[in-house]
Amino acid sequence: MGEFELIGRYFAAAACARVGGELLQGIGDDCALLALPPGEHLAVSTDTLVAGVHFPDPCDPFLLAQRALAVSVSDLAAMGADPLAFTLALTLPQAEPAWLEDFARGLERVAAHCGIRLAGGDTTRGPLCLTLTVLGRVPAGQALTRAGARPGELLCVGGPLGAAAAALPLVLGTSSAAPEVAAPLLAEYWTPRPQLALGRWLRERAGAALDISDGLLADCGHIAAASGVRLVIEQARVPCPAPAKTFLGAERALACACSGGDDYRLAFTLAPEHVAELAREVWPVSVIGRVEEGAGLCLLGPDGDEIAISQGGYNHFAEPSAERPAAPRRNA
Amino acid sequence: MGEFELIGRYFAAAACARVGGELLQGIGDDCALLALPPGEHLAVSTDTLVAGVHFPDPCDPFLLAQRALAVSVSDLAAMGADPLAFTLALTLPQAEPAWLEDFARGLERVAAHCGIRLAGGDTTRGPLCLTLTVLGRVPAGQALTRAGARPGELLCVGGPLGAAAAALPLVLGTSSAAPEVAAPLLAEYWTPRPQLALGRWLRERAGAALDISDGLLADCGHIAAASGVRLVIEQARVPCPAPAKTFLGAERALACACSGGDDYRLAFTLAPEHVAELAREVWPVSVIGRVEEGAGLCLLGPDGDEIAISQGGYNHFAEPSAERPAAPRRNA
C-alpha cells in the first residue's frame, strides 16, 4: 500500500475529514484552510505520544487513537476553547490494514464526540509515534489560562482523580483485577473525556484553569507559579474513584489522585458565588481547596497539618529515580 | 536537565518564541493563542522528519532545524499564505545541551528569516523525530490550491530544480566533490528557502500552485489530477543548476530536476499575460510547459517526442525497489 493510498483509504475517507463548517479545505493540498469566526481567537496545542514511552507497544490501535485525540482535545477544554480541527502526524513501522482500520475508527469516534475535524497531517515510516496538533476557537479575551487565580477563589477539580494512574499496572499487564474493578479504571486510562462543556462554562468565570496531566499537585503548582498565588489543598477533599480504592486501597488511591497524572480533568479556581452557581447547574465538580496570597502549594492532612510534598508529577528528561515507575508517561 | 528546564532554556527563551503581533499567548499554557486578522483564513500544515528516514543520523542539529522549519514553511508559501506561528514536537533520545543549543539557533535563524513565531509544542523522550505544524494566514478566497489550473495557462517553476537531490550522496557521505561544487548543493539540501514572496505575488493570479517536494513530475501529476487538466512539460526547459551538472553530468542532473524531489520551489500555472508581468518584476522563474484540456502528464523530449514517465517521485510505504536509493525521503 502506498502512502497516498493509505491516506486516502483510512483518513481522507473518514467522516471526520469531510470539509464543512469552518474547515474549508481538508486533506489533499499543501495546507488545510480554516475560517475563524470574527471576534474569536485561535487556540493551538501539540502533543506527542511515543510507543513504549507514553503507551505500551503493542497496544490496541482503536484505544490508542481514542486516547491520543482525547488527550489533545483536553488542552482545548482547559482553555475554554471549542474544537475546530486537528492534524495527525503518524509514524508507523509498516502499513497494516487491520491496524489502520481500527486506528481510524478510534479517531472517528472521539472526533465525532468532540465535534472536531481531521484537517490534514503526515504519514511517515519509522518507530511508532503520533503527534497531534489541535486547533480550537475561543471568544477573544475569554481564554482560560493558568495565570488568573485570585486570592479568595476556591480551588476545584472536574471529577474524581487517580483512576488512570491506578490503571497503569493493568495497562502494562503487571497486575490484574476483577472485570468490574478493572473495566472502569482501564476506561479512564484509554478513553479520557475532555471536559469541553465545563471549560466553556468556566469562560469569564474561572480565575485560572488547566487540565490535569502531570498530576494534581504538579499542575496546581503550575497554577500557583503562573498566577503568583498560594494554593491550599485539603487532601481529604480530593475525590478518589471507588474502583481505585477497591483495587489499591484508600491510601494508594489517594496518592494516585494527588500525584498520578493522566487524569485530563480540569482544575480551576472560581469565586465562591460561581461555585454555588456551578453546583446548581449540577456539574460533578469538587472543591478541594482555596487560593491565598503568597506562593507555592500547601497540602493539608485530615488533621489540618501541612504535609510535605516530595514528588509532584512526571518530568521528561529528569534523571531516572527508583520512586518513579517505568511506566507510560504523561502528556502536558 | 528536566523537561521544563529544557523548554525554558532552549525554546521559551528564544527570540522567535516572544509573544507579540498575532501571537497572544505562547509557550507555557495548555494552548497557544493567536489572533487572525478579519477577512483572513488560516492555513495549516504538518510535516514529520524521522531520523535515518528523512535525514541522516547523526547530523548537524543547526542544519536539521533549519531544514525542518524551511520545509514546513514552504507549504505556506505554496498556498500563498503569510507565516504566523508554528509548533514543534521534538522527540529526543537524550537532552544534550550542545545539540539543543545548535538546534535552537537553526530554528531561530529560519524563524527570523520567514517571520514566523514558535507558539508551543511538546518535548518527549524516544527515537529522534520532529513534527512541525505551521500556521499561516491568507486573505479569504485567495489561497493557492492544486485544483485551479486552466487550459491556456503556462506551467512555471520558481527556480532551478534538482540540486537537493543531486546533493544526496554528499549528505549521506557516499560521495565527495570540490568545495565550490559541494557547497551550493549542500546548501540547497539543508537550507531550502521557502518562496513566500512568490506565493504572495501569485495570489489571485495563479491557477494552481504547490511546492515541489515529491519531484517535479510527481507534483505536476498532483496538479493535473486535482485540476482535471493535462500538463505538458518540455524537458529542455526544466532549469538545472550548474553545480548539479558539474557534479553529475547533464543527463543525471536533468533526472534529478525532473524526479528528484526536495526542491521546495513553487510549481504553478499562470496566464501568459501574468507571466510577462512576473518577468517584468524580475522573479527568477522558468516557463517549462503549458496546461491543456485532458488528463495526466506529458513530458516532451528535445525533439518534441513524448518521453515515457516511469517513476514520478517518492512514496512512503511503497514496496522497496532496487531503483530507489536508501536515502532520506521527501516531506510533502
Side-chain angles (χ1 to χ4, degrees), chain A residues 132-232:
Chain A
L132 284 91
T133 297
V134 290
L135 304 172
R137 60 194 179 88
V138 59
Q142 292 185 26
L144 304 168
T145 71
R146 302 170 173 202
R150 288 157 296 214
E153 287 179 333
L154 298 173
L155 177 64
C156 310
V157 292
L161 304 177
L168 266 184
L170 302 169
V171 170
L172 298 172
T174 57
S175 186
S176 62
E180 65 276 15
V181 173
L185 296 177
L186 286 168
E188 288 288 338
Y189 180 85
W190 284 114
T191 53
R193 284 153 296 179
Q195 299 196 294
L196 290 163
L198 177 57
R200 209 177 289 130
W201 189 92
L202 291 174
R203 286 181 202 158
E204 295 195 294
R205 292 187 177 102
L210 49 60
D211 67 324
I212 300 169
S213 52
D214 293 335
L216 174 68
L217 298 183
D219 283 319
C220 284
H222 297 154
I223 292 180
S227 299
V229 295
R230 170 179 156 100
L231 293 185
V232 180

Side-chain angles (χ1 to χ4, degrees), chain B residues 156-166 184-185 188-189 192-193 195 198 212 216 237-245 253-254 256-258 261-268 283-288:
Chain B
C156 311
V157 292
L161 304 177
L185 297 176
E188 287 291 335
Y189 180 85
R193 283 152 296 178
Q195 298 195 295
L198 176 57
I212 301 168
L216 175 68
R237 303 180 75 173
V238 174
C240 281
K245 285 193 259 188
L254 184 61
C256 284
C258 287
D262 268 338
D263 294 298
Y264 306 107
R265 293 217 155 79
L266 301 190
F268 52 95
W283 289 104
V285 302
S286 303
V287 176
I288 61 164

